[in-house]
Amino acid sequence: MNLALLRNMLQQGVYKVINPFAVSRLLGSIKGLVLKVQRAARTVAFSKNGAAGLLALRLLFSNLPLADAARQPGTVFPVPTGIANQLFYLQRDPNSNTIIYQLNVNAAGKLNEEEPVRVFWIRYAEQGERKDLNFVQRKFAYGLSTKKLAPDKYELKFAAYDKVRFFLMKSAVDNAFHVLVTIANKQIVLTRVFLRIEGGTFWVPNVKYIEFKGWNAATREPVVERVSV
């Protein structure tokens, strides 16, 4: 049983009884995937550029086909609209699929303090379907870890890149939550993150920079800053 078939079975909720031979092949496929990840991790550990290598490993779980480490011709990155309580969104080469970071509140508007930010895909390249991140994407790439620092203030860290600190805070100006990040001594109210990938391979995409877009918290002027990886 190949991994594509396994994925389809899991997505479609196939719970039928499988014969012992099929079970054995299924376990073999899973074991093969685990070994592949372990080999990739060892390769990254000996990379000359540890930070870029680590990010490359995490990015391999972002659904990049082997031949698509660079942007597809004619790719347009849409601006998500109509999403209640959206904090910011993340886009990256090679396609328009977008990850949304949304304030996680209940019907009464009360924040979920255990998980203040909800993360999910809008698969623009697949008719705009919304999907949750899978386990690996959540734990090793685009997911966030959170730590409560004070009432209405949380520290956020990306699973794939924790060298930049983000803060979820309630603003005294509009009484709403925003995500803030400090880049080049500027405190930015974040609206978009973009990963530029130029070439490379499935295992080692050539990540050129991370771009942060939003507005200056002090002056409210639009701002875009880039961090080389």
Side-chain angles (χ1 to χ4, degrees):
M1 178 180 295
N2 60 40
L3 293 179
L5 180 56
L6 170 60
R7 182 179 64 248
N8 289 336
M9 289 177 62
L10 295 176
Q11 288 175 343
Q12 294 170 15
V14 176
Y15 299 107
K16 295 181 180 179
V17 177
I18 304 174
N19 65 52
F21 178 68
V23 171
S24 176
R25 295 180 64 187
L26 173 61
L27 293 176
S29 295
I30 294 173
K31 182 178 180 181
L33 177 59
V34 170
L35 290 175
K36 182 183 291 186
V37 173
Q38 290 174 339
R39 286 196 298 270
R42 286 195 293 270
T43 300
V44 171
F46 289 98
S47 170
K48 291 182 180 179
N49 188 339
L54 179 60
L55 184 59
L57 175 62
R58 307 286 171 76
L59 284 171
L60 78 87
F61 296 112
S62 64
N63 297 325
L64 300 183
L66 179 61
D68 278 347
R71 181 187 297 186
Q72 297 169 356
T75 298
V76 175
F77 295 99
V79 176
T81 59
I83 301 172
N85 300 308
Q86 177 178 301
L87 294 167
F88 67 97
Y89 60 98
L90 183 149
Q91 295 174 320
R92 79 283 182 273
D93 295 314
N95 58 49
S96 60
N97 291 336
T98 299
I99 301 164
I100 303 296
Y101 295 82
Q102 178 188 50
L103 192 68
N104 190 9
V105 295
N106 63 20
K110 181 177 175 56
L111 182 67
N112 183 332
E113 296 189 358
E114 296 297 320
E115 188 179 351
V117 181
R118 180 178 176 239
V119 186
F120 61 93
W121 288 99
I122 296 183
R123 311 286 291 184
Y124 287 112
E126 302 167 17
Q127 292 77 51
E129 183 180 4
R130 295 192 185 190
K131 288 185 178 181
D132 289 334
L133 273 63
N134 64 35
F135 175 82
V136 177
Q137 292 164 347
R138 187 172 66 254
K139 293 296 184 181
F140 297 100
Y142 305 115
L144 296 174
S145 62
T146 63
K147 179 181 179 181
K148 186 173 182 178
L149 303 178
D152 297 333
K153 183 177 181 180
Y154 299 80
E155 181 180 14
L156 311 176
K157 290 184 179 180
F158 273 94
Y161 193 75
D162 61 3
K163 297 184 181 301
V164 178
R165 301 176 72 195
F166 300 80
F167 297 93
L168 174 66
M169 301 171 59
K170 180 176 281 190
S171 170
V173 176
D174 59 6
N175 200 38
F177 278 97
H178 301 280
V179 172
L180 291 90
V181 60
T182 300
I183 305 292
N185 296 319
K186 298 176 186 176
Q187 191 176 53
I188 301 170
V189 178
L190 194 62
T191 58
R192 183 188 189 233
V193 176
F194 180 74
L195 303 180
R196 166 63 72 215
I197 301 172
E198 294 183 359
T201 66
F202 177 90
W203 293 105
V204 187
N206 184 23
V207 182
K208 301 295 290 185
Y209 59 79
I210 305 173
E211 182 178 274
F212 302 92
K213 181 179 181 180
W215 70 83
N216 188 307
T219 66
R220 301 190 68 81
E221 295 177 346
V223 61
V224 177
E225 293 287 347
R226 292 178 179 177
V227 174
S228 299
V229 176

